[in-house]
Amino acid sequence: MRLDFTLNNHPCRAEAPAHWTVLDLLRDGLALTATKYGCGEGVCGTCTVLLDGEPVRACLVLASRLRGRTLLTAEGLEDNGQPDRLQSAFARAGAAQCGFCTPGMLLSARALLAANPSPTEHDVREALAGNLCRCTGYTKIIEAVLAAAGAR
């Protein structure tokens, strides 16, 4: 099936089998590998992407749902070759340990800051509750999101 949608702020036309998920399309169809395959059941949040600005688990959403919509992945966070403020804050705080969860964390945090530019620590913890870090580096991740919020 043919899919026309906006990917990382650019028009995208792709072909995908009907059974492919968004994760399949990104990794196998478009060679965009920032979105990670974690549990495959939508539990770990490692495959989080933003669909029309809302966090979704790419492993659970069929690629056919992308038609006419806007998808943002970690590859689309940079602006003119520069990391966005969340990426910079994660780097400064040392919030990426093994880095496997980082793309999903960044996108969940991006959605949070779009909806709530001045979150509390509790707000950040709630927003990231569905994203698991196997290194348990939550403290630095939360500090990075709060720092990015304060950098506005």
Side-chain angles (χ1 to χ4, degrees), residues 95-143:
Q97 292 185 26
C98 80
F100 195 77
C101 71
T102 303
M105 292 281 188
L106 287 167
L107 290 163
S108 290
R110 173 88 171 237
L112 167 66
L113 296 182
N116 179 1
S118 301
T120 64
E121 181 178 332
H122 177 76
D123 296 333
V124 175
R125 288 182 182 277
E126 287 283 322
L128 300 182
N131 293 79
L132 303 180
C133 173
R134 61 188 182 184
C135 304
T136 68
Y138 297 104
T139 300
K140 290 183 177 184
I141 292 168
I142 292 164
E143 289 172 357

Side-chain angles (χ1 to χ4, degrees), residues 20-147:
W20 271 18
T21 64
V22 171
L23 184 61
D24 295 327
L25 178 64
L26 290 171
R27 293 187 62 85
D28 300 332
L30 300 172
L32 295 175
T33 57
T35 307
K36 305 297 185 221
Y37 179 88
C39 65
E41 299 175 351
V43 175
C44 72
T46 230
C47 66
T48 301
V49 293
L50 299 184
L51 183 58
D52 295 335
E54 296 295 322
V56 298
R57 305 297 191 240
C59 69
L60 297 180
V61 178
L62 288 174
S64 62
R65 298 208 43 214
L66 293 176
R67 283 193 185 102
R69 300 179 79 182
T70 300
L71 184 68
L72 182 68
T73 70
E75 287 95 342
L77 288 176
E78 69 177 22
D79 185 25
N80 291 325
Q82 298 297 313
D84 84 346
R85 62 190 165 100
L86 273 166
Q87 291 172 308
S88 296
F90 269 58
R92 281 192 303 274
Q97 292 185 26
C98 80
F100 195 77
C101 71
T102 303
M105 292 281 188
L106 287 167
L107 290 163
S108 290
R110 173 88 171 237
L112 167 66
L113 296 182
N116 179 1
S118 301
T120 64
E121 181 178 332
H122 177 76
D123 296 333
V124 175
R125 288 182 182 277
E126 287 283 322
L128 300 182
N131 293 79
L132 303 180
C133 173
R134 61 188 182 184
C135 304
T136 68
Y138 297 104
T139 300
K140 290 183 177 184
I141 292 168
I142 292 164
E143 289 172 357
V145 175
L146 290 170

